Amino acid sequence: MSPSLFDCTFPYMQRRPSQNTPIEAGLADIGDNLQIPSLFDDASAASPPAATDATPPAAATNTNSETKTKRMASPAESHRGSLKEPHFLEVTDHRTGKTHMVPVEEDTIDAGIFAQLGLSIYDNGYLNTAVCRSSISYIDGDKGILRYRGYEIEDLAKHSSFLEVSYLLIFGDLPTREQLQVWETRVMRHTFIHENLVEYLKSFRYDAHPMGMVTSALSAMSTFHPEANTALQGEHIYEDETMVNKQIFRCLGKVPTLAACAYRHRIGRPYNTPSNELGYTENFLYMLDRLSENNYLPNAKLARALDVIFILHADHELNCSTAAMRQMTSTGVDPFICLSGAAAALYGPSHGGANEAALKMLEEIGSVENIPSFIEDVKAKKRRLMGFGHRVYKSYDPRAKILKNISEEVFAIMGRNNLIDIAVELERIALSDEYFIKRNLYPNVDFYSGIIYKAMGFPVCLDAKKPFPGFPTPFPTDFFPVLFCIARTSGWLAHWHEQLQNPIPIFRPKQAYEGPEPRKYVDISQRTELEKSPLDLQAKYLLRKNLPPMTDEELAKS
Ligand code: CMC
């Protein structure tokens, strides 16, 4: 049994750390030895602070309302300013001739009001539906702004560590030095995983995709912590903040270990046990690459680069995987299962896998001379420029700007990768081309992250300029989404924590039914329309004694 299974004694982490310091005085003397080397000491690496979002709500009719809704408390109010006057959307229902005044709050309208009119909002894929109120991260896609709890992403990337940012995301404020020390200590105490879980990971096939291993292991974690399982203990267990905090330590602590085991499995090396005297990201790199060295240390600058990349990927409001996290949380299931579901959503190539696609595209372009013809193909819609464009950002993704700077830092250590020259030139040409300008297409976070991961290889030895023979071995590209998953775990947990404080009823979206009208049951002996079935070919195959032999084409399809 893992020594860290039942040992949480951290009752002082309050739900609102700004009001209740989570630090117990007796723990404040933990050594202040965790210096964070900054890759971004050069002031030019940071963008100037972005303008605050103080746009007043759109002009609206101020009139007596037929329909009044209760004013909802909004976490966004603190930086958006409270709405003194009610605002309304005037809706005329031409079926009945009636006009309704729908209250507008925080740039949203209550969809429930339309239920009174017998209507649902059809929003295929939730493209314009707010399913919760949240105060974790804020995006202004037009201005290219990303903030965590009100702090600019540029400032956090420059000054903070990933664990510090995780604390901010989860508990709402940046920690004091003492809070940070306790936080780091608690998280790092939970890096070890149960030996049975190690055996479980070892049982995967030698070439198992690491994301498959990590999502499975996250869900298996649920079985290792029965006291945290709501199915066994009841949902009330998460009314206890100690219980909540302990799962946060566990998840943050163990995810890099699961990820490292998946990686070592993929390359056929024995798993490393964590080294808790190292920092969070350093320990992750240690577990990835240590062979038998007693004093193995990863390169500090590369560890810092990866730490910043983790900061940039930590949260991004209600993206697909975070929405999955919230959806699962609404069922009351334990956080390990929720994380497994969120990680599974991230696994999809349209979500966590785009950096790999961008990298492959750059490799395929091969050289700067081939860029113009590639751009012509993109404009002719024969290709997509991977790592460009974003559903939310209609200007430069602020994370991509920071990553571009990091890539230079990494190349300074690891040697220049020619893919960066292709990327920079591709960006230059695209940003001056009418096609991309007109459509607001800019580099997104995935444009540079893949190149950096590739260049990092194993950021392992103390002196990265004198690498081992064959060095650097790049991260296999199927490991990229796992790196994303480690970082995003902090955002997922922040949303889990927020939702425990402000529970949402179980998610139950509506559908717009467009299937058949009611019809009479047909006995199986009467059903003749086999050719309309999607299983037609297989069915024909099964029944082939009654049919002419299948053609080669039919056989191939079946
Ligand atoms: N290359 C070429 N044309 C593009 C691209 C692109 N990457 N993205 C959009 N367009 C064009 C698109 O063809 C359309 O043109 P038209 O008006 O002539 O039909 C127009 O721009 C609008 O496209 P859209 O598909 O409506 O835009 P969207 O906001 O729905 O798509 C996107 C967003 C991310 C799916 C898309 O830009 C894309 O596929 N990008 C490449 C894949 C990629 O890099 N994905 C990672 C996104 S960031 C991940 C994260 O934040 O976690």
Side-chain angles (χ1 to χ4, degrees):
M1 181 179 286
S2 153
S4 59
L5 254 184
F6 296 105
D7 65 354
C8 183
T9 48
F10 201 66
Y12 30 80
M13 187 71 79
Q14 300 295 324
R15 290 196 171 188
R16 301 192 194 289
S18 52
Q19 294 153 15
N20 300 290
T21 171
I23 292 301
E24 196 173 65
L27 286 175
D29 60 355
I30 292 172
D32 177 17
N33 56 359
L34 295 169
Q35 298 288 325
I36 303 158
S38 174
L39 262 190
F40 297 98
D41 286 338
D42 170 13
S44 64
S47 303
T52 53
D53 173 46
T55 317
T61 321
N62 182 359
T63 176
N64 288 334
S65 159
E66 288 177 7
T67 327
K68 285 210 166 43
T69 53
K70 202 166 146 255
R71 177 82 178 88
M72 281 184 272
S74 160
E77 241 168 44
S78 56
H79 75 96
R80 293 176 77 101
S82 56
L83 303 179
K84 298 246 164 42
E85 299 297 324
H87 292 72
F88 295 91
L89 185 73
E90 190 177 312
V91 176
T92 301
D93 185 343
H94 288 280
R95 298 171 306 171
T96 60
K98 283 191 183 160
T99 294
H100 306 270
M101 306 306 292
V102 181
V104 176
E105 301 193 16
E106 306 289 347
D107 298 335
T108 61
I109 53 173
D110 181 353
I113 287 168
F114 289 92
Q116 295 167 20
L117 307 179
L119 295 172
S120 312
I121 311 280
Y122 177 64
D123 185 6
N124 202 2
Y126 290 149
L127 296 194
N128 190 32
T129 297
V131 294
C132 65
R133 296 193 181 271
S134 176
S135 47
I136 299 170
S137 56
Y138 171 80
I139 302 173
D140 184 327
D142 294 330
K143 294 184 188 146
I145 292 172
L146 171 60
R147 298 188 193 117
Y148 294 163
R149 301 281 189 180
Y151 293 101
E152 306 296 340
I153 190 70
E154 292 83 356
D155 289 338
L156 294 170
K158 183 174 179 189
H159 301 294
S160 281
S161 67
F162 172 68
L163 271 194
E164 196 179 2
V165 168
S166 302
Y167 182 103
L168 169 72
L169 287 169
I170 295 167
F171 299 109
D173 286 303
L174 283 168
T176 62
R177 188 177 293 278
E178 291 78 13
Q179 286 169 333
L180 181 60
Q181 285 165 1
V182 174
W183 169 243
E184 287 174 339
T185 306
R186 296 301 307 190
V187 170
M188 292 309 292
R189 268 187 67 184
H190 284 272
T191 51
F192 280 76
I193 56 174
H194 196 289
E195 277 305 308
N196 290 159
L197 191 52
V198 172
E199 292 307 316
Y200 173 69
L201 286 162
K202 283 185 180 164
S203 71
F204 278 85
R205 216 172 77 159
Y206 72 98
D207 60 351
H209 193 293
M211 262 316 255
M213 290 181 70
V214 170
T215 49
S216 309
L218 278 167
S219 111
M221 267 174 69
S222 166
T223 66
F224 286 87
H225 305 296
E227 85 289 1
N229 184 340
T230 44
L232 298 172
Q233 315 292 346
E235 287 182 51
H236 66 276
I237 55 174
Y238 290 118
E239 286 160 17
D240 174 3
E241 197 65 14
T242 310
M243 197 68 185
V244 172
N245 291 335
K246 176 143 185 186
Q247 309 326 311
I248 290 171
F249 304 141
R250 272 183 176 149
C251 295
L252 276 177
K254 292 182 198 312
V255 163
T257 310
L258 299 178
C261 290
Y263 176 74
R264 298 283 290 199
H265 190 82
R266 187 87 167 79
I267 60 170
R269 288 186 187 167
Y271 304 171
N272 278 317
T273 48
S275 174
N276 287 354
E277 58 278 9
L278 295 176
Y280 189 80
T281 307
E282 283 177 319
N283 170 54
F284 171 58
L285 293 176
Y286 166 93
M287 290 187 289
L288 287 185
D289 207 57
R290 176 185 170 265
L291 287 172
S292 62
E293 310 87 330
N294 285 332
N295 299 314
Y296 177 94
L297 274 180
N299 180 286
K301 283 199 166 181
L302 292 176
R304 172 61 185 157
L306 190 56
D307 203 63
V308 175
I309 296 174
F310 283 169
I311 292 173
L312 301 180
H313 285 84
D315 195 49
H316 212 229
E317 50 129 282
L318 274 206
N319 53 83
C320 182
S321 56
T322 306
M325 183 80 193
R326 281 198 174 255
Q327 179 140 344
M328 296 191 71
T329 301
S330 78
T331 70
V333 73
D334 69 59
F336 313 109
I337 298 286
C338 293
L339 284 179
S340 172
L346 184 75
Y347 190 1
S350 302
H351 191 2
N355 54 15
E356 188 181 351
L359 185 71
K360 282 186 182 148
M361 174 194 74
L362 293 172
E363 282 173 341
E364 196 189 318
I365 294 173
S367 78
V368 170
E369 297 78 60
N370 298 333
I371 294 175
S373 67
F374 179 81
I375 292 276
E376 286 315 309
D377 281 354
V378 171
K379 286 158 64 175
K381 310 263 187 213
K382 292 184 198 157
R383 303 291 306 266
R384 249 190 185 215
L385 181 47
M386 299 311 286
F388 255 66
H390 199 276
R391 190 46 67 69
V392 182
Y393 294 115
K394 297 303 169 197
S395 65
Y396 213 107
D397 181 335
R399 302 168 300 172
K401 264 187 213 159
I402 301 169
L403 283 170
K404 198 172 172 184
N405 288 328
I406 295 179
S407 65
E408 292 303 335
E409 302 266 355
V410 170
F411 295 147
I413 300 163
M414 304 300 294
R416 201 168 173 81
N417 185 314
N418 82 317
L419 292 183
I420 191 72
D421 299 324
I422 300 172
V424 169
E425 182 62 4
L426 195 54
E427 178 187 328
R428 191 192 65 75
I429 294 178
L431 294 187
S432 55
D433 190 296
E434 186 62 13
Y435 175 94
F436 298 91
I437 296 169
K438 235 174 76 189
R439 291 169 177 77
N440 292 321
L441 298 173
Y442 293 86
N444 62 47
V445 70
D446 293 314
F447 194 62
Y448 288 105
S449 59
I451 311 175
I452 298 173
Y453 292 150
K454 184 179 165 82
M456 280 176 112
F458 285 159
V460 287
C461 39
L462 267 175
D463 183 355
K465 286 190 179 140
K466 289 187 195 148
F468 306 127
F471 182 86
T473 309
F475 284 122
T477 50
D478 60 11
F479 199 60
F480 291 1
V482 178
L483 297 168
F484 196 162
C485 178
I486 295 173
R488 192 52 62 86
T489 297
S490 67
W492 292 331
L493 289 170
H495 285 267
W496 178 67
H497 189 252
E498 187 176 66
Q499 198 165 322
L500 290 179
Q501 291 178 303
N502 307 295
I504 301 178
I506 185 166
F507 276 45
R508 180 57 173 90
K510 291 200 123 187
Q511 63 165 16
Y513 178 73
E514 54 184 21
E517 292 297 316
R519 47 184 172 162
K520 284 227 157 58
Y521 183 78
V522 182
D523 186 79
I524 196 158
S525 61
Q526 306 299 312
R527 296 175 214 158
T528 53
E529 297 192 1
L530 197 58
E531 61 278 5
K532 286 191 185 160
S533 161
L535 300 177
D536 187 23
L537 277 170
Q538 287 94 323
K540 274 187 184 164
Y541 179 74
L542 288 172
L543 301 171
R544 71 187 182 282
K545 57 179 186 270
N546 301 326
L547 294 163
M550 288 176 102
T551 64
D552 287 347
E553 200 186 337
E554 281 175 330
L555 267 175
K557 275 192 203 161
S558 73

